[in-house]
Amino acid sequence: MKAAALVRVSTEEQHQKGNSIPEQEERLEGYFKLMGINDFKIYYDEGYSGKDLNRPGITELLEDVPTEKYSLVVTTKLDRLSRNLFDILNIIKHLEQYDCNYASATEGFDTSTPAGRLVLHMLGMVAEFERERISERVRDNMMSIARNTNRVISRPCYGYDIKNGVMEVNVEESIIVKKMAQWTLEGLGSRAVAKRLNEMGIKTKSGGQWHSKIVRELLKRETLVGDFVYNRTYRKGTRTLTRPEEEWIRVEGHHDPILDRETFDKVQQVLDARKQVGKQINHDRYLLSGL
């Protein structure tokens, strides 16, 4: 029998338990010895959370399952595989396609038996519940920081950098932001602004190309007038949704502005007007209506 094992430890666990990886290796090697398995490979996800599958170790393992023809994949505990029930079930389903089972070295079950599959579902639900509790505690802590301090707890938008937890104006980027606002007030649409920026060789904050949506979202950010807004959006599956405005945390005068409020308000009026024109065009029956 040919087997594989996965060792995972998050950054927080590394800090609290520096010997977590050696401990997992020792348990896995003991398990394989007990089962009489000599042909095995260990994959590593060092410093990665189990909240998703965006990890090099599990990715490599799943890719190797069909080519290496593993019959068994083992972790010390279920939460080393993942803390998300949906991900766990997808992993098991992927393994089953190639006649490969999963087993936990310390929790006494494997997916080759009905009892093992039942326990798998139960423990997976517990792991997901714990992950959601951790996420809730982190969110509560972030909310407290946003309400009670000036510390920045989100990534900076174009025009700003974060230094020592403080939002600071990026001079070069701020000049571009002011030009974007000026072009918008002169009549250029978001698509035309993006095109001009790309032609000038100017990159986004992440080093990519500009698009109309990126331009529009940037120019609508209250960050540009020195306000900090937190808890505006949240993730539900693959979608990003907006919370009711009364749930937002808004701190005015949080940092130095790039645009004055009068200019910012005028830009918002132009952007909103263009959005309404677009809606009218989309709902009109005639080809040239709105032009």
Side-chain angles (χ1 to χ4, degrees):
M1 176 184 289
K2 192 173 183 180
L6 177 70
V7 170
R8 184 188 66 77
V9 58
S10 68
T11 303
E12 181 180 354
E13 290 168 331
Q14 283 179 317
H15 177 70
Q16 296 176 351
K17 303 176 182 179
N19 59 349
S20 182
I21 285 182
E23 283 185 356
Q24 291 181 55
E25 289 175 329
E26 184 178 351
R27 290 187 182 184
L28 291 168
E29 289 170 358
Y31 177 86
F32 287 132
K33 184 177 181 180
L34 182 65
M35 299 296 292
I37 300 173
N38 298 316
D39 188 4
F40 63 87
K41 178 180 177 180
I42 299 179
Y43 296 79
Y44 295 87
D45 274 328
E46 185 175 355
Y48 288 88
S49 168
K51 66 180 181 179
D52 56 43
L53 299 182
N54 187 24
R55 299 155 17 214
I58 186 65
T59 300
E60 183 184 1
L61 190 156
L62 295 177
E63 290 176 349
D64 286 351
V65 166
T67 57
E68 297 293 334
K69 300 190 182 302
Y70 293 129
S71 299
L72 181 66
V73 170
V74 185
T75 59
T76 55
K77 292 183 179 180
L78 181 63
D79 63 2
R80 300 301 91 190
L81 188 67
S82 177
R83 290 184 179 273
N84 184 289
L85 177 59
F86 182 77
D87 288 340
I88 291 171
L89 297 180
N90 277 336
I91 292 172
I92 302 304
K93 184 178 180 181
H94 175 78
L95 297 179
E96 289 176 345
Q97 291 178 356
Y98 301 99
D99 297 322
C100 182
N101 293 311
Y102 166 76
S104 167
T106 59
E107 292 162 332
F109 71 91
D110 65 71
T111 60
S112 63
T113 66
R117 286 191 289 272
L118 174 62
V119 176
L120 171 70
H121 282 254
M122 294 173 63
L123 289 178
M125 292 176 68
V126 172
E128 185 175 22
F129 172 71
E130 181 61 22
R131 181 183 67 84
E132 291 178 352
R133 287 187 61 190
I134 292 173
S135 177
E136 187 177 82
R137 289 196 294 269
V138 171
R139 180 173 175 272
D140 289 344
N141 185 46
M142 292 297 188
M143 296 276 282
S144 176
I145 292 173
R147 286 194 180 99
N148 302 312
T149 73
N150 283 331
R151 180 182 167 192
V152 180
I153 52 177
S154 59
R155 291 181 298 176
C157 68
Y158 190 87
Y160 288 94
D161 294 321
I162 295 177
K163 296 182 180 178
N164 300 320
V166 177
M167 191 92 76
E168 293 187 2
V169 174
N170 181 310
V171 177
E172 292 183 0
E173 292 180 357
S174 69
I175 294 173
I176 302 301
V177 171
K178 291 177 180 178
K179 287 183 178 180
M180 293 165 69
Q182 179 185 343
W183 295 337
T184 300
L185 294 177
E186 290 174 353
L188 283 186
S190 298
R191 185 176 300 176
V193 171
K195 181 180 178 182
R196 181 173 291 186
L197 291 171
N198 291 329
E199 290 174 346
M200 295 170 63
I202 297 170
K203 302 295 184 181
T204 64
K205 196 73 172 175
S206 60
Q209 294 285 304
W210 290 90
H211 302 284
S212 59
K213 183 180 179 182
I214 299 175
V215 170
R216 185 179 182 85
E217 289 180 349
L218 173 61
L219 291 177
K220 292 189 75 68
R221 279 179 174 266
E222 295 93 336
T223 308
L224 302 181
V225 290
D227 295 347
F228 178 72
V229 179
Y230 185 71
N231 202 44
R232 185 202 303 264
T233 61
Y234 65 99
R235 297 280 295 179
K236 187 173 184 180
T238 58
R239 296 184 299 165
T240 299
L241 304 176
T242 302
R243 289 188 173 91
E245 192 167 347
E246 58 269 18
E247 295 182 17
W248 299 359
I249 298 176
R250 186 189 299 272
V251 182
E252 296 186 358
H254 178 270
H255 52 269
D256 292 335
I258 293 176
L259 301 178
D260 61 78
R261 291 188 181 274
E262 182 179 357
T263 301
F264 181 79
D265 289 342
K266 288 180 179 178
V267 170
Q268 304 316 301
Q269 293 173 7
V270 172
L271 293 175
D272 291 342
R274 284 184 170 276
K275 189 173 182 181
Q276 292 301 320
V277 169
K279 286 183 178 180
Q280 293 173 6
I281 294 174
N282 290 336
H283 287 85
D284 211 304
R285 294 180 300 162
Y286 304 104
L287 180 62
L288 300 181
S289 295
L291 299 181

